[in-house]
Amino acid sequence: MKYVLKKASAIGLLLAMALCIGTPAFAGNDAENETYAEVSYYSSENEIDILRESNTQVNDFFLQLEDANPNLELVGVVVKSMYMEESYDENGIVTECNFLTNKEVEEAINPLSGQSFVGDDYTTRGKLTITLAVYKDGDYYRLMGGSSWSGRDNSNPEGSPAAGRDYIAISWGGGGNLQCLVAPQMYGSYSDNSSIVFSNTFRNESTGYCWDFYEEQGGKYAKDMHVYASVKKINTENLGEETSAKLTYIHSYNTSNLSINGFYIGSRFVAPSLVISGSSDCVRSEIDVPNITY
């Protein structure tokens, strides 16, 4: 996976280098066929100020955090963007959905957003951006995540993401030593600024939450989503261990057989991943913020 770093600090650079392990410079065609992604890691207040000027969603996050407590300690913020392409047949039925590869983005024969036609078949392209911010507040960690679509024609169903049920999840590690004692907040808006209705797909106070929602409602398409959760260290002693938080977004175009089976907990030192089964007609994007101590 290709990562494009923007304004990363020394800590962020180390994280990005770790994320890129497994993609050697001499990978050749293998690297070309890997999924393209732009990932930025921010870990200083100066970087956050710059980010807020260019990212309205992140700015909204921090306005809420500052209202709650102006003396929070920054842990980190990760922003990830990927380009997605969906192919349709002459009847407007989605036949394939993929994130673009390094080669496809670099060559950019077709636009990275909008529509391209080949006879009666056509493709649509757009950009999915997901964000996760983590702040420390005494014994609590404030987690704020979100997603947004851009480059698609929300007034035209043929230029928008395939209608269906999408999923957004937030999770954290810690092996039960970090718990969400108050139900997280989840909200979002459609293209006409009306509110998205979310359903709780899975919840576990010690690992994370997942919600699903209709990407299309009455000709309106989901524009942005936000999630806010507070997790607390429940052990009275500081164990001196570290873990991470994770945001997951799943876009699907055929959810008839798709099911969410909770989170796979492999280690308390990393945030668990969402487990899905029953359908391959979906794509997933994830980001992690490390350095959560307990």
Side-chain angles (χ1 to χ4, degrees), residues 46-257:
N46 289 337
E47 293 171 345
I48 295 302
D49 290 340
I50 296 173
L51 175 62
R52 290 178 63 170
E53 293 177 0
S54 61
N55 190 314
T56 56
Q57 186 175 63
V58 170
N59 189 52
D60 290 343
F61 289 167
F62 286 97
L63 286 176
Q64 293 183 53
L65 285 171
E66 289 167 353
D67 288 342
N69 187 338
N71 299 312
L72 300 176
E73 178 185 346
L74 174 66
V75 176
V77 180
V78 176
V79 181
K80 178 181 182 181
S81 294
M82 303 174 72
Y83 292 99
M84 192 186 71
E85 178 181 85
E86 289 180 328
S87 301
Y88 297 73
D89 63 18
E90 66 276 8
N91 297 315
I93 304 300
V94 180
T95 57
E96 191 174 5
C97 174
N98 293 297
F99 286 122
L100 297 185
T101 65
N102 292 334
K103 183 177 181 180
E104 289 169 325
V105 171
E106 290 169 0
E107 292 182 347
I109 297 175
N110 293 320
L112 292 177
S113 63
Q115 296 182 344
S116 301
F117 290 84
V118 179
D120 292 329
D121 298 338
Y122 61 95
T123 62
T124 64
R125 286 181 171 179
K127 183 167 71 171
L128 171 66
T129 299
I130 59 175
T131 303
L132 179 60
V134 179
Y135 264 80
K136 190 175 186 298
D137 181 10
D139 289 335
Y140 287 87
Y141 283 96
R142 312 298 185 183
L143 316 178
M144 298 197 74
S147 62
S148 62
W149 290 98
S150 61
R152 310 190 83 109
D153 181 5
N154 284 321
S155 66
N156 178 3
E158 294 181 349
S160 301
R165 292 190 77 86
D166 279 11
Y167 300 82
I168 189 167
I170 193 164
S171 59
W172 53 90
N177 290 296
L178 296 170
Q179 293 191 1
C180 185
L181 304 178
V182 179
Q185 301 174 29
M186 186 74 210
Y187 62 96
S189 60
Y190 287 108
S191 51
D192 66 346
N193 293 322
S194 60
S195 297
I196 296 174
V197 177
F198 293 90
S199 298
N200 197 286
T201 307
F202 181 85
R203 60 178 295 169
N204 185 306
E205 289 77 6
S206 298
T207 55
Y209 289 72
C210 177
W211 298 264
D212 65 275
F213 58 95
Y214 283 107
E215 195 168 38
E216 184 271 338
Q217 282 278 55
K220 304 173 296 184
Y221 286 82
K223 181 176 62 175
D224 53 59
M225 283 67 65
H226 309 261
V227 57
Y228 173 81
S230 293
V231 296
K232 182 181 181 180
K233 297 190 295 182
I234 62 170
N235 49 293
T236 56
E237 297 181 0
N238 189 342
L239 300 181
E241 296 184 343
E242 291 188 357
T243 188
S244 61
K246 182 189 297 289
L247 184 81
T248 303
Y249 188 97
I250 295 176
H251 171 71
S252 66
Y253 61 95
N254 178 10
T255 57
S256 58
N257 298 315

Side-chain angles (χ1 to χ4, degrees), residues 237-294:
E237 297 181 0
N238 189 342
L239 300 181
E241 296 184 343
E242 291 188 357
T243 188
S244 61
K246 182 189 297 289
L247 184 81
T248 303
Y249 188 97
I250 295 176
H251 171 71
S252 66
Y253 61 95
N254 178 10
T255 57
S256 58
N257 298 315
L258 186 65
S259 62
I260 302 296
N261 301 323
F263 294 98
Y264 172 73
I265 305 173
S267 168
R268 67 181 184 275
F269 301 116
V270 294
S273 295
L274 200 62
V275 179
I276 59 176
S277 63
S279 175
S280 60
D281 298 336
C282 62
V283 290
R284 174 200 303 242
S285 183
E286 295 179 331
I287 47 177
D288 293 81
V289 173
N291 302 323
I292 296 177
T293 60
Y294 61 94

